[in-house]
Amino acid sequence: MTDKGKQVDTSETPDPQTALGAVMPVIADLLERGTRAFALSDWENAIDYFGELSSITEQTFGDESQRYADSLVMYGRALLQHAIEQNALLAQKTLAEAATGTLNKNEESEDKQAQPSKANIQFEGEPDFRQVDEQDEVEEDATEEDEDDDFAAAWNVLDVARVIQEKATDTKSQLKYAETLMLLGDVSMESENFAQAVTDFTSALRVKQACLADGDRELAEIYYKVALAHEYNQETSKALELMSDVQRILNNRLQSIKDSTEDKDEFESLQEVLADVKAKIEEWKAPPERVDVGAVTGGDQLLADKAKEMLRLAVEAGKVTDITSLVKPKSKKRDGENKPEDSETKRVKNEM
């Protein structure tokens, strides 16, 4: 005799295949929407879509699955790009305020007893946070904390992906693991934690060396990232050693395709990249130029401080001309000491 109660229980038990079939279209839709938003540099929507994707893949496939790790990498990359964009906007505002302060120097000196006027510079689509003096410092601190949180969120998400990916042993998974290490290195560079960036990029290099042929162009990119991290960590001699490997790989690739008509465009682009690498080597070999900030500011302390910040940002931007652009916030800590809480060698990556 059939047990009706048992029949009801069986009918209400979800079929794993049916449940998976129902969730896969949702996953595909979130992936498509997130990828589109990322391609359009719509970081906030990309963060939303990839964040939801990560949550669903964790529930569906488990918190140690490679699918979950893949979604975390997409999520972390979007968080990183958003943090970089916000940091760049702040840098632009700092430069604009410094320039405006210089222009208003005479007006401020004539009315020292009055409340100093504030540069009311507002970028399109950006709320105006400049109010009275008391609010200024509070809001400035809050902005810096928000940036720190953005980089910290990117770091934490990518680090979870790293832990999952390092357990896989096949070549494809190991290369994904190396890419995640490179993203962690990018977070460290943006956070000015250059010693940690050296560690992350070096780990990525070792993984790629084990998976790729010695002349693979991907190795040139990671060698450059390691060299750049060493240079920013004031280890120029080591950086120059690594740059010789970048040159070797690029020269070998050029030799292998120089007689190929099909690879003409690649040949020309690689020649440009190699020229940039050589220029960077010469730049690193040359002693840094000294700038007389006092002469620029006329001795005014407030403007001197602003000018120093402006010059520091300009020098750093110039340091990575043509191959990468780095706009960096304050240092972060990792694991209580060096942990920073996606500096991108954009041209090398795009052209290699």
Side-chain angles (χ1 to χ4, degrees):
M1 186 174 179
T2 305
D3 188 338
K4 290 185 179 180
K6 196 170 185 179
Q7 287 178 351
V8 172
D9 291 339
T10 301
S11 64
E12 291 180 353
T13 301
D15 178 23
Q17 292 300 323
T18 302
L20 185 61
V23 78
M24 287 307 292
V26 178
I27 291 176
D29 182 62
L30 288 170
L31 178 60
E32 180 183 355
R33 290 172 182 269
T35 302
R36 185 186 303 117
F38 191 93
L40 295 173
S41 301
D42 183 1
W43 311 127
E44 291 187 359
N45 277 324
I47 288 170
D48 289 341
Y49 292 132
F50 288 144
E52 188 175 350
L53 175 65
S54 300
S55 178
I56 292 177
T57 53
E58 179 186 17
Q59 296 173 28
T60 305
F61 301 105
D63 60 4
E64 294 188 359
S65 67
Q66 294 300 313
R67 284 178 179 265
Y68 178 45
D70 290 344
S71 66
L72 287 174
V73 170
M74 290 183 280
Y75 184 28
R77 184 183 282 113
L79 286 166
L80 173 60
Q81 292 301 323
H82 180 261
I84 291 172
E85 181 182 76
Q86 294 305 305
N87 190 48
L89 288 174
L90 180 64
Q92 291 174 10
K93 180 181 285 188
T94 300
L95 289 170
E97 289 172 353
T100 304
T102 302
L103 292 173
N104 293 335
K105 179 181 177 182
N106 292 334
E107 295 179 9
E108 292 177 2
S109 61
E110 290 174 359
D111 192 14
K112 291 182 180 179
Q113 301 302 322
Q115 179 73 18
S117 61
K118 294 292 181 180
N120 191 20
I121 296 174
Q122 198 171 350
F123 296 96
E124 183 177 357
E126 178 186 4
D128 183 10
F129 292 113
R130 302 198 63 76
Q131 299 177 17
V132 296
D133 255 0
E134 302 86 65
Q135 285 293 100
D136 251 3
E137 293 185 4
V138 174
E139 290 173 350
E140 203 171 300
D141 291 343
T143 301
E144 292 181 356
E145 289 176 3
D146 287 343
E147 291 167 8
D148 292 347
D149 289 344
D150 288 339
F151 283 107
W155 174 273
N156 291 333
V157 168
L158 292 167
D159 200 44
V160 173
R162 174 191 64 79
V163 172
I164 298 170
Q165 290 173 331
E166 69 181 346
K167 298 175 183 177
T169 57
D170 61 285
T171 300
K172 183 178 180 180
S173 296
Q174 282 292 292
L175 287 174
K176 287 183 177 181
Y177 171 51
E179 291 297 321
T180 301
L181 287 169
M182 290 172 67
L183 286 171
L184 285 166
D186 291 338
V187 176
S188 297
M189 289 290 287
E190 293 292 342
S191 303
E192 294 189 357
N193 192 345
F194 304 125
Q196 184 59 52
V198 168
T199 299
D200 295 328
F201 288 143
T202 301
S203 296
L205 173 60
R206 289 170 181 165
V207 174
K208 289 202 170 191
Q209 283 176 322
C211 297
L212 301 174
D214 182 61
D216 196 293
R217 290 172 55 191
E218 286 188 30
L219 289 178
E221 177 193 358
I222 185 59
Y223 268 117
Y224 180 81
K225 282 180 174 282
V226 180
L228 192 66
H230 276 292
E231 167 63 12
Y232 271 90
N233 203 37
Q234 300 184 15
E235 299 169 336
T236 303
S237 59
K238 182 62 178 177
L240 290 172
E241 289 178 20
L242 291 160
M243 289 295 270
S244 65
D245 288 302
V246 178
Q247 284 186 296
R248 173 180 56 79
I249 294 171
L250 294 178
N251 279 321
N252 289 344
R253 179 61 182 170
L254 283 170
Q255 288 298 316
S256 67
I257 64 174
K258 67 178 182 178
D259 298 324
S260 173
T261 56
E262 296 180 357
D263 299 314
K264 182 179 179 181
D265 290 341
E266 180 187 357
F267 184 83
E268 292 177 354
S269 67
L270 280 179
Q271 283 184 314
E272 293 179 3
V273 173
L274 185 58
D276 290 336
V277 169
K278 291 179 178 178
K280 187 61 61 180
I281 290 173
E282 293 305 314
E283 178 186 327
W284 291 354
K285 286 180 178 179
E289 296 182 5
R290 305 184 69 86
V291 179
D292 185 359
V293 176
V296 175
T297 63
D300 183 275
Q301 186 59 45
L302 177 61
L303 293 178
D305 291 341
K306 289 184 177 180
K308 287 177 183 178
E309 178 66 11
M310 181 173 62
L311 290 169
R312 184 184 71 82
L313 291 169
V315 170
E316 289 179 355
K319 192 169 187 177
V320 289
T321 299
D322 295 334
I323 297 182
T324 182
S325 60
L326 299 171
V327 185
K328 301 173 282 299
K330 300 186 301 181
S331 299
K332 305 295 292 181
K333 300 293 183 180
R334 182 178 187 181
D335 296 333
E337 294 182 1
N338 295 318
K339 181 175 181 179
E341 280 291 311
D342 45 80
S343 85
E344 185 94 20
T345 53
K346 290 186 175 67
R347 182 164 183 178
V348 171
K349 186 163 187 174
N350 290 337
E351 297 185 2
M352 287 184 182

